Amino acid sequence: MDQHLHHVEQHFTGSDFIRDVVIGMSDGLTVPFALAAGLSGAVDTTTLILTAGSAEIAAGSIAMGLGGYLAGKTDAEHYDSELAREKREVIELPEREEEEVAEIFREYGLEEAQIKSITETMKKNPEKWVDFMMKFELGLEKPEPTRARNSAITIAFSYIIGGIIPLFPYFIFKHPATALMVSVIVTLIALLIFGYIKGRFTGTSPIKSAFQTMITGGLAATVAFGLARILT
């Protein structure tokens, strides 16, 4: 009995943060690796590879961070626009909004008397009514005020961290071919670990997530490597 009384449900609530980390880290592991791998067959020293790779990480992190910021701002602007429209419709078209509420609850099998009671209650609190319509009619949640900024920072730093990993062997080994071989191994291990951690946070199977991330990232890096070699 006590177990039931003290039961607390634990749900993952950091989906936005994890999504940004995944976006930044996966691109960071893939793109600089492809660039470095493509250059490895065209030059005899790692100096040029490190210079080009560092420049790519800097430019890529800024571009990815900007993309995250603009996406966050767009989400916020879209929410504000729809919120204003719902507020206007509740005042100007209350009968239609009542019917939309009723349709939502009919899908859950509620009886008409129950639905009537709910709609009458909502009409007494327009703010809650609008909030209900935003969530259940439009499927929109109010974005955090700092969402755009946090997304930009998270994606940019994740990209930098991911990009440093495949370039690290080029700091240690002076011969590009040796550095490339080590970079391939290090990058695949990093993808495996990253996928495992992602699985732990998102509640999916960590093992499945690890191999899925490694295979997907590995294929993406292979394709990017092939294109880089053709272009160089």
Side-chain angles (χ1 to χ4, degrees), residues 156-216:
F157 273 97
S158 298
Y159 189 95
I160 292 170
I161 294 170
I164 290 173
I165 293 172
L167 282 184
F168 186 72
Y170 291 90
F171 286 99
I172 300 174
F173 301 98
K174 296 302 180 184
H175 196 278
T178 304
L180 173 60
M181 183 173 61
V182 176
S183 179
V184 170
I185 297 171
V186 169
T187 300
L188 289 176
I189 293 174
L191 285 167
L192 193 70
I193 295 172
F194 173 56
Y196 184 88
I197 294 173
K198 182 181 71 173
R200 294 279 294 180
F201 273 103
T202 57
T204 58
S205 169
I207 301 298
K208 180 182 178 181
S209 177
F211 281 98
Q212 188 179 58
T213 303
M214 184 184 71
I215 293 170
T216 304

Side-chain angles (χ1 to χ4, degrees), residues 45-139:
T45 177
T46 58
T47 303
L48 179 60
I49 297 173
L50 288 171
T51 302
S54 299
E56 196 289 322
I57 290 175
S61 63
I62 293 171
M64 293 289 291
L66 179 60
Y69 179 82
L70 292 176
K73 290 292 287 183
T74 300
D75 288 343
E77 290 169 359
H78 174 61
Y79 182 89
D80 290 340
S81 173
E82 291 297 325
L83 180 64
R85 184 175 65 84
E86 283 297 330
K87 286 181 177 180
R88 185 172 63 253
E89 289 181 351
V90 163
I91 296 172
E92 298 175 358
L93 304 167
E95 294 83 5
R96 193 180 74 177
E97 293 298 295
E98 285 181 50
E99 182 57 29
E100 288 175 354
V101 171
E103 286 295 327
I104 292 171
F105 283 108
R106 286 189 189 109
E107 293 178 2
Y108 289 92
L110 270 69
E111 297 178 358
E112 290 301 320
Q114 295 172 313
I115 294 173
K116 183 66 175 176
S117 175
I118 292 172
T119 55
E120 288 298 323
T121 302
M122 282 191 175
K123 287 165 64 177
K124 297 175 183 177
N125 194 333
E127 275 191 29
K128 295 296 182 182
W129 189 1
V130 170
D131 184 60
F132 176 86
M133 298 304 289
M134 292 294 290
K135 290 179 180 178
F136 293 94
E137 182 196 14
L138 302 178

